[in-house]
Amino acid sequence: MSVSLDHYHDGLVERCIHDLFVTPRITLYRWSRLTEQTNHTKIGYTGQHLASVVLNVKGCKTGARGKDCMDGTEVKSCSRVDQSDKCTRCHVNVLRVDDVCPVCLGGDKIVRNNDTKWLLTIRSEDDLNAYLELDRLLLIIEEYPDFDKHDYKDITITMYEIYPKKEPKNFAQLITNYYNDIYSKNLQKNPKKVPAPKNLWPHSYQFHMCDPHEIFRCRIADHLTDPKLTILKHLKPTDPRTPADIAPMPQSLLNARERKLLNSSDEQFVSPEDKRRLSLRC
């Protein structure tokens, strides 16, 4: 049985994004204006389609209950686009596309959420070992590049690879500590309450300490009105992954002790050499 897609070609990525990420969101936005229901699209399954196209690897037709790709790649997706927001004045939910609260008509009291993360479910030794034995964990995030400017016209889709079997061993340490020190201990205290999955926060200190290789990034300008897709980076399946592809860690993520340890300069990012001197912070 072939592992690769039977009809792989360069334009397939753009077509996949337009068909599964752009068009459905525009349709949901239009219906949301009528129904006042959320226009949030669930990225889990569509993320698996995009993973297969970018990696040129077929899926296993298992949904969320088995292997994601035939080469063993595990795919995790999260979206920070179209999260439900909250008006702190009248306490109603507000859609991301609403400039003002639909109830009190105020725009200065809306809290915009940007807190979605990747969820790693590890509920047994078998689950833990499955992650530890992965050759590749693929992380996909959909977000607003200009969120801090309160500009929600453009979105980006970025894909990262983490290699649990390779150095550094930070990812293995991260999930092992979670299972032993958080999941197992909390389950012992309250066997009837299943602890929450491991939260891996995008762009966090722990995320960067796992040496995520950025393999794909695109920007969709004016995604709801006049979408224009631009591929900013795309490592092909056969392209080598190099240290230059590792997402740089911002200096702003360091705490006071770490800054003192590294004698931090005014550089924007931590150098690869300095990064190797840091501990994981589990």
Side-chain angles (χ1 to χ4, degrees):
M1 181 182 294
S2 172
V3 173
S4 301
L5 303 183
D6 296 328
H7 305 288
Y8 180 82
H9 57 82
D10 286 342
L12 205 59
V13 173
E14 289 89 339
R15 180 178 170 185
C16 178
I17 293 172
H18 276 295
D19 286 354
L20 300 183
F21 291 82
V22 178
T23 301
R25 176 164 281 114
I26 293 174
T27 303
L28 280 169
Y29 167 75
R30 187 165 60 245
W31 278 98
S32 181
R33 282 306 194 192
L34 172 67
T35 65
E36 296 190 11
Q37 301 285 2
T38 178
N39 59 315
H40 195 297
T41 58
K42 295 296 184 181
I43 194 176
Y45 292 122
T46 52
Q48 290 180 350
H49 286 281
L50 183 59
S52 283
V53 172
V54 171
L55 300 177
N56 189 22
V57 177
K58 290 181 180 178
C60 299
K61 304 176 184 177
T62 57
R65 292 175 175 81
K67 291 183 178 180
D68 295 328
C69 296
M70 289 187 68
D71 68 346
T73 298
E74 177 76 10
V75 181
K76 293 294 181 182
S77 304
C78 72
S79 178
R80 291 183 166 179
V81 176
D82 299 328
Q83 287 189 249
S84 182
D85 300 324
K86 180 76 73 173
C87 176
T88 58
R89 179 183 290 121
C90 59
H91 308 292
V92 300
N93 290 331
V94 179
L95 296 177
R96 183 59 49 89
V97 294
D98 290 328
D99 293 327
V100 299
C101 173
V103 175
C104 67
L105 303 182
D108 59 329
K109 298 297 182 181
I110 297 176
V111 175
R112 301 294 184 180
N113 295 314
N114 196 42
D115 57 356
T116 305
K117 61 276 184 186
W118 296 294
L119 301 178
L120 309 181
T121 302
I122 306 171
R123 295 179 177 174
S124 67
E125 291 279 357
D126 288 342
D127 289 344
L128 176 61
N129 290 331
Y131 272 105
L132 295 176
E133 294 168 5
L134 283 175
D135 288 317
R136 173 167 57 191
L137 172 64
L138 187 72
L139 302 173
I140 304 175
I141 181 169
E142 186 183 43
E143 59 190 335
Y144 299 103
D146 300 316
F147 179 86
D148 292 340
K149 301 176 184 178
H150 308 290
D151 184 345
Y152 314 118
K153 295 191 299 295
D154 297 0
I155 62 176
T156 57
I157 302 173
T158 311
M159 304 175 72
Y160 301 95
E161 291 177 343
I162 289 176
Y163 318 113
K165 286 185 179 180
K166 294 183 179 180
E167 295 292 346
K169 298 295 186 181
N170 287 334
F171 178 78
Q173 181 184 347
L174 187 70
I175 61 173
T176 300
N177 288 353
Y178 157 80
Y179 180 72
N180 292 332
D181 299 336
I182 299 176
Y183 181 88
S184 297
K185 290 183 178 180
N186 286 340
L187 195 62
Q188 289 175 2
K189 293 178 182 177
N190 189 350
K192 295 183 179 181
K193 183 177 180 181
V194 178
K198 167 63 184 173
N199 295 333
L200 183 57
W201 295 91
H203 317 306
S204 66
Y205 179 90
Q206 289 186 339
F207 166 74
H208 281 285
M209 288 298 288
C210 293
D211 278 0
H213 285 61
E214 183 185 287
I215 66 161
F216 179 84
R217 183 174 74 259
C218 73
R219 185 171 183 130
I220 306 165
D222 298 318
H223 72 288
L224 288 176
T225 54
D226 184 22
K228 296 180 179 64
L229 172 64
T230 303
I231 305 295
L232 302 173
K233 182 174 184 178
H234 184 188
L235 291 183
K236 300 297 178 64
T238 55
D239 289 339
R241 275 53 169 161
T242 69
D245 299 314
I246 297 175
M249 176 188 284
Q251 290 268 0
S252 58
L253 293 177
L254 302 180
N255 60 30
R257 183 189 62 79
E258 291 156 351
R259 289 178 178 275
K260 184 177 180 180
L261 170 68
L262 301 182
N263 192 21
S264 295
S265 63
D266 293 331
E267 295 294 327
Q268 184 178 1
F269 298 106
V270 178
S271 70
E273 296 76 21
D274 280 345
K275 186 179 175 184
R276 286 193 287 270
R277 298 170 58 196
L278 298 171
S279 57
L280 186 56
R281 262 201 236 161
C282 289

